[in-house]
Amino acid sequence: MSASAMPTVAIVEPPESERAVATILLAFAADPIARWTYPDPQQYLLHFPGFIRGLGGMAFADGTAWQVDHNAGAALWLRPGAHSDEAALAALIDTTIPRERQAELGAMVEQMSRYHPTEPHWYLPLIGVDPLHQCKGHGAALLQAGLRRCDQDHLPAYLESTNPANIGLYRRHGFEIMGTIQTASSPLLTPMRRAAR
């Protein structure tokens, strides 16, 4: 990609947050974990935006949500000390997920907590590129923007890859696999950490 064609990354301004949510919704439409959670297309479109807001919505308020090329992609980074909205996520799971799937989600969350760093770190709960704009360097540009901030703070970064196809991208940016997470019927979830620099 030529320098003139490099993607442009910017902070998502609060009025643009719903566009970023919509971009991530499109990006995750074929994601193994997202669609295991909501296999019915109508339920996915109706309820997954709530997951996006619950997992990473704090990034909009903190100015740590990034978008690339006018919402071709978006990344929601949570600063050290910021957290997902666990109450909102629990309510969403309770009201929109069948009981038998809720138990597996609970087991998955329990496994995730074993890997999530306890020291100060930057957390990337969601990053996605609209399928119309994939394979153009947008995901890499979003990662690089967030990782520059991690490096300024000399802090590690952490994420859980919900799609094995993305692991190579994360590894190229310095993330290392910490283990694997899986329940009886779920796809594989891969926690990854990038050391402080």
Side-chain angles (χ1 to χ4, degrees), residues 128-187:
V129 175
D130 180 339
L132 187 63
H133 300 289
Q134 290 178 0
C135 302
K136 298 177 183 177
H138 292 98
L142 287 166
L143 272 176
Q144 289 164 6
L147 292 174
R148 278 193 294 273
R149 180 64 188 271
C150 297
D151 294 347
Q152 287 173 357
D153 294 345
H154 305 290
L155 290 175
Y158 174 77
L159 61 81
E160 294 110 358
S161 178
T162 57
N163 190 335
N166 296 330
I167 289 175
L169 171 67
Y170 300 137
R171 291 184 82 164
R172 286 192 298 277
H173 285 85
F175 285 89
E176 296 180 0
I177 294 172
M178 300 171 70
T180 55
I181 296 169
Q182 193 166 28
T183 65
S185 71
S186 77

Side-chain angles (χ1 to χ4, degrees), residues 35-74:
R35 296 313 303 277
W36 170 78
T37 306
Y38 291 113
D40 178 82
Q42 185 177 13
Q43 294 298 305
Y44 171 76
L45 292 173
L46 185 62
H47 299 301
F48 198 70
F51 261 93
I52 295 168
R53 291 183 202 97
L55 284 169
M58 182 62 72
F60 297 123
D62 283 348
T64 57
W66 298 86
Q67 57 87 10
V68 60
D69 286 353
H70 307 289
N71 287 292

Side-chain angles (χ1 to χ4, degrees), residues 19-127:
R19 288 186 68 194
V21 168
T23 297
I24 293 171
L25 181 67
L26 286 172
F28 277 73
D31 179 82
I33 295 287
R35 296 313 303 277
W36 170 78
T37 306
Y38 291 113
D40 178 82
Q42 185 177 13
Q43 294 298 305
Y44 171 76
L45 292 173
L46 185 62
H47 299 301
F48 198 70
F51 261 93
I52 295 168
R53 291 183 202 97
L55 284 169
M58 182 62 72
F60 297 123
D62 283 348
T64 57
W66 298 86
Q67 57 87 10
V68 60
D69 286 353
H70 307 289
N71 287 292
L76 307 183
W77 285 89
L78 297 185
R79 62 173 169 74
H83 301 283
S84 297
D85 187 340
E86 293 179 14
L89 291 170
L92 192 62
I93 290 168
D94 187 54
T95 58
T96 69
I97 304 289
R99 293 283 176 222
E100 62 276 6
R101 183 60 47 89
Q102 287 182 28
E104 283 198 76
L105 275 171
M108 181 175 283
V109 169
E110 185 179 321
Q111 290 181 57
M112 289 166 65
S113 68
R114 294 182 199 144
Y115 289 101
H116 202 105
T118 56
E119 82 262 38
H121 66 284
W122 281 87
Y123 175 41
L124 179 61
L126 292 160
I127 181 172

